[in-house]
Amino acid sequence: MAILNKNEKVGRYVVTFFIKQGSYAETYRVKDSLGKNFFLKLINCAKLHRSQFDEAGNVLELQIAKQLRHSNVTTYHDNGTLVLNGQKFIFLVFDFIVGETAAQYLAREHTCSVYHAKQIVSGVLNGLKFLHNLPRPVIHNELTIQNIMLDLSDRIVVPKIIDFGYARYIDQSNNAYINEGISPFYVASEAFNGIFSLQSDLFSVGAMLYHLLFGLPPYFTDLSPFQLNQTSLIDAALKVRKKPLKILEMNKFELDEQLINTVCKALSSDVDNRFKTADEFLDALDGKVKIQSEQSEKGKKMTSSSTSMKKEGNGFADVAGMTELKEQLQSDVIDLLQHSEQAKELGLFIPNGLLFYGPPGCGKTFFAEKFAEEAGLNYRYIKCSDVASPYIHGGQGKIAAIFDDARKNAPTILFFDEIDAMIKDRSRQTNVSEAGEVNEFLAQLNNCGQDGVLVIGATNKPTEIDNAALRAGRLELKYYIPQPDKETRKRMFELNLQKRKVDFGIDYERLALLTENYISADIKLIVDMAARLTFRRKERKITMAALEEVIGNSKPSISIEVIHQHEVIRDKFLGVSTDNKRKKVGFN
């Protein structure tokens, strides 16, 4: 039962409503005399552990809170003291954050893309960098997805570290760790033995990244037989850590070897093998440093299905519209794969390469992923940094290694995002190393289909690709991915809203009419912005009015001029004049 009641006055604040209760504190939303919202944390001093006080006997959380001034950390505002029923309480007031916790986001969305997982973790690491570089460095000690707020007050989501109840100074005496209420999956093993370091926090960030990517905490196990007390939970969790870390096969196109090795390094049981600083962790996430897979306790390499993973999912069922394109790819590629012996008798093999081109934001990458699911092939996502190298001809070796691995795991789809940057027109190049990389790419493309390797390239700039890559036998089949037509836009709104709470009376036909010339990414953003608008207004369901309001305040991110430029390129590839256009493949 909450200690404070609604409308009760606490200092110069009035309680709006109760949020949550912990072992020693309660959290409330409150307002000041101007009606501005804040978070108030009410702490029962009698229930604090000795490690939650500093050397002078002050409440440690208050002393640390006063130093919090960073965009990725909750902002301290005020404090005070209360005596209730003969017990001493202190309260801390923090700026109100419009948004949700990372845990709430994961529960609502059911999955987190690699992009958003990196975005969240990068923000947390920047916040940690601030804490770890204070004059007297602070360790948070309880970094979980429950203690990360996602600030949704602007178009860009800002992760913020909250709740410093278990925080401590790095040079503080090693008092026993407070176990009650702590998730054993997030805490570094050494912390349970009273050993604390900056790397303990970095382990927790690694656990957070794992949880966001895979939907479960690392070393997760069913602990129900052990749920007698917190000590039994910790013992069971530590026992599981003696086994190698499992890397789950997930439907995430950017889950590459670098990212998986980064997760494994962050969660290493050996402190010396972990990241030493938040900056090191950030550099690994950004691909600035190459992370190699470490040896497991049994002497084997930590395996990752990063080189190529079989795609599992709903395939084309998740793709709105594009009926003609789906049918053409079914006959051009998927049927050949599913009836390979019959095809070989006729001398047919899968194509060497496909090119998905068109305006940005129209779903080329998403479609390639769903195509891999539909085909049931191994799949590897490759971005520019995966083939970049600071060494002369180093990129050639990387390209060759990618294709060699794909042949070993055939049939495999290699998806090259922004392929124009990897096989630039050699007539415009003066760099010998870059020209060599293009030559290597072209050589690998030759007859790769016969080896069970299908290359898919996506680009917004097809005219910048070397002409030799576009000829027959290489990126031989070209598919234009345009902005969605009306029926597709209607279906996109339905797909984007189906897992959210929506009001009755959503007119999908009208939404499609209101968003002519909007691209796929625009429609997803409209739905997200309507959800945020609904949240800010404290409403429970997304309404038609909210969607229309967002549309009214937005415009297509791609201009008509850009669309026309891409259509001219499409007509050139199709070999038709603007006066005699063939029917285009894709949404329309």
Side-chain angles (χ1 to χ4, degrees):
M1 183 176 177
I3 296 173
L4 302 177
N5 299 314
K6 185 176 180 180
N7 297 324
E8 187 170 348
K9 196 166 184 182
V10 182
R12 56 194 184 91
Y13 304 93
V14 174
V15 175
T16 306
F17 61 82
F18 170 77
I19 297 176
K20 68 174 183 177
Q21 183 176 41
S23 58
Y24 67 92
E26 295 180 349
T27 307
Y28 300 82
R29 184 190 290 186
V30 297
K31 286 187 176 182
D32 65 6
S33 58
L34 299 176
K36 186 177 179 181
N37 287 316
F38 294 92
F39 287 126
L40 182 145
K41 185 172 183 178
L42 184 68
I43 299 173
N44 187 335
C45 297
K47 293 185 177 181
L48 290 175
H49 187 271
R50 58 190 174 91
S51 65
Q52 292 174 291
F53 294 92
D54 66 10
E55 296 86 343
N58 301 310
V59 175
L60 187 56
E61 185 172 0
L62 172 58
Q63 305 310 309
I64 290 174
K66 291 178 180 180
Q67 305 175 60
L68 303 182
R69 292 290 185 275
H70 189 273
S71 59
N72 293 116
V73 180
T74 183
T75 302
Y76 165 81
H77 181 73
D78 196 3
N79 76 88
T81 304
L82 288 176
V83 176
L84 300 171
N85 299 323
Q87 292 185 309
K88 180 182 177 181
F89 292 80
I90 67 165
F91 62 86
L92 308 182
V93 181
F94 298 90
D95 283 358
F96 181 71
I97 301 172
V98 178
E100 61 186 347
T101 66
Q104 289 169 327
Y105 166 81
L106 195 58
R108 174 171 54 80
E109 294 291 335
H110 304 294
T111 183
C112 183
S113 69
V114 172
Y115 171 80
H116 285 113
K118 283 185 175 181
Q119 182 187 41
I120 292 169
V121 168
S122 294
V124 173
L125 287 169
N126 279 314
L128 272 188
K129 186 163 67 169
F130 163 76
L131 296 173
H132 291 175
N133 286 286
L134 286 169
R136 190 178 182 187
V138 169
I139 308 172
H140 186 275
N141 262 340
E142 198 196 3
L143 287 169
T144 70
I145 59 174
Q146 284 82 14
N147 285 336
I148 303 300
M149 281 290 294
L150 304 180
D151 187 344
L152 306 177
S153 60
D154 205 346
R155 294 176 70 90
I156 299 175
V157 177
V158 180
K160 291 180 180 285
I161 302 172
I162 63 171
D163 204 338
F164 284 74
Y166 294 90
R168 63 191 297 140
Y169 293 115
I170 193 171
D171 60 355
Q172 200 173 334
S173 61
N174 287 345
N175 290 325
Y177 192 77
I178 313 169
N179 293 333
E180 187 175 353
I182 291 293
S183 169
F185 304 112
Y186 274 85
V187 178
S189 301
E190 66 273 9
F192 290 122
N193 296 316
I195 300 172
F196 305 95
S197 69
L198 304 182
Q199 289 166 281
S200 304
D201 273 350
L202 297 179
F203 177 96
S204 298
V205 179
M208 184 184 304
L209 179 57
Y210 186 103
H211 197 163
L212 290 170
L213 290 172
F214 300 113
L216 293 170
Y219 302 107
F220 181 78
T221 185
D222 181 4
L223 298 179
S224 55
F226 308 99
Q227 290 177 347
L228 301 175
N229 53 53
Q230 185 70 11
T231 301
S232 297
L233 283 171
I234 293 169
D235 289 344
L238 291 176
K239 183 178 180 180
V240 175
R241 291 188 192 184
K242 295 179 181 179
K243 300 178 181 179
L245 179 66
K246 290 182 179 179
I247 298 298
L248 308 177
E249 289 192 3
M250 297 296 291
N251 179 26
K252 296 180 186 293
F253 62 85
E254 289 181 287
L255 192 58
D256 57 15
E257 184 174 8
Q258 170 77 4
L259 183 55
I260 289 178
N261 290 341
T262 297
V263 173
C264 291
K265 183 175 180 67
L267 293 172
S268 175
S269 57
D270 186 343
V271 178
D272 293 334
N273 288 337
R274 286 190 219 142
F275 296 109
K276 304 296 188 294
T277 65
D279 273 329
E280 282 189 14
F281 203 150
L282 282 166
D283 285 345
L285 279 181
D286 293 339
K288 293 179 181 178
V289 293
K290 180 70 174 176
I291 305 299
Q292 304 293 334
S293 60
E294 68 173 46
Q295 297 290 325
S296 71
E297 294 176 4
K298 293 184 178 180
K300 297 179 180 179
K301 273 192 174 182
M302 278 202 180
T303 59
S304 74
S305 49
S306 58
T307 50
S308 54
M309 297 181 291
K310 192 165 185 177
K311 300 299 293 179
E312 295 181 358
N314 297 324
F316 285 159
D318 287 340
V319 180
M322 305 182 77
T323 302
E324 187 177 346
L325 178 56
K326 290 186 280 191
E327 290 175 352
Q328 189 165 347
L329 283 166
Q330 181 73 40
S331 61
D332 288 347
V333 183
I334 297 175
D335 287 347
L336 289 178
L337 288 165
Q338 294 175 346
H339 305 284
S340 57
E341 292 303 319
Q342 181 181 348
K344 285 180 182 178
E345 291 174 0
L346 298 172
L348 296 176
F349 298 92
I350 61 173
N352 293 318
L354 316 177
L355 182 68
F356 292 168
Y357 68 100
C362 289
K364 293 180 288 293
T365 301
F366 176 75
F367 186 82
E369 180 184 0
K370 294 302 168 182
F371 168 74
E373 292 175 1
E374 188 74 19
L377 300 184
N378 290 326
Y379 178 85
R380 183 173 179 182
Y381 173 89
I382 301 144
K383 56 187 181 299
C384 298
S385 60
D386 293 332
V387 299
S389 173
Y391 306 107
I392 295 176
H393 305 309
Q396 291 177 239
K398 287 188 172 184
I399 292 167
I402 288 169
F403 276 88
D404 286 345
D405 181 77
R407 289 184 175 94
K408 291 175 185 176
N409 293 281
T412 294
I413 291 175
L414 294 178
F415 177 72
F416 293 88
D417 206 358
E418 299 184 24
I419 197 170
D420 52 279
M422 304 181 210
I423 44 176
K424 295 178 181 178
D425 188 344
R426 288 169 292 180
S427 66
R428 305 178 188 177
Q429 292 184 13
T430 57
N431 187 309
V432 175
S433 180
E434 287 184 356
E437 290 170 7
V438 174
N439 291 335
E440 179 66 35
F441 207 116
L442 297 177
Q444 293 291 343
L445 270 172
N446 288 331
N447 302 318
C448 63
Q450 294 185 29
D451 297 329
V453 177
L454 173 63
V455 171
I456 300 179
T459 180
N460 306 323
K461 303 173 183 177
T463 56
E464 296 186 11
I465 295 175
D466 193 281
N467 285 330
L470 300 175
R471 70 164 175 79
R474 288 172 177 161
L475 296 175
E476 51 196 330
L477 299 181
K478 303 168 186 67
Y479 301 95
Y480 181 62
I481 312 290
Q483 73 277 20
D485 62 12
K486 183 172 75 70
E487 285 304 312
T488 302
R489 295 194 300 274
K490 177 181 174 182
R491 179 62 179 145
M492 283 182 172
F493 275 111
E494 291 172 348
L495 287 173
N496 278 292
L497 287 165
Q498 68 180 2
K499 291 183 179 179
R500 308 179 194 235
K501 287 188 176 180
V502 297
D503 198 9
F504 293 110
I506 301 295
D507 188 343
Y508 295 101
E509 187 80 17
R510 175 165 172 75
L511 292 174
L513 288 170
L514 290 173
T515 50
E516 185 176 2
N517 294 321
Y518 283 65
I519 62 173
S520 308
D522 292 337
I523 291 171
K524 173 67 164 62
L525 180 61
I526 287 169
V527 174
D528 287 343
M529 293 300 292
R532 292 178 188 179
L533 185 64
T534 302
F535 183 86
R536 290 192 198 109
R537 292 174 174 173
K538 302 179 181 63
E539 297 170 351
R540 298 187 61 82
K541 295 181 180 181
I542 300 171
T543 64
M544 183 67 185
L547 290 161
E548 288 184 300
E549 181 178 343
V550 172
I551 294 170
N553 293 326
S554 65
K555 60 181 180 179
S557 57
I558 304 296
S559 68
I560 292 296
E561 289 74 19
V562 172
I563 297 296
H564 288 164
Q565 290 170 10
H566 283 275
E567 289 177 343
V568 169
I569 295 170
R570 175 206 64 203
D571 292 339
K572 183 179 178 181
F573 276 143
L574 291 174
V576 297
S577 69
T578 54
D579 297 327
N580 184 28
K581 294 180 181 178
R582 281 161 46 184
K583 189 176 181 182
K584 53 191 174 184
V585 173
F587 285 101
N588 295 323

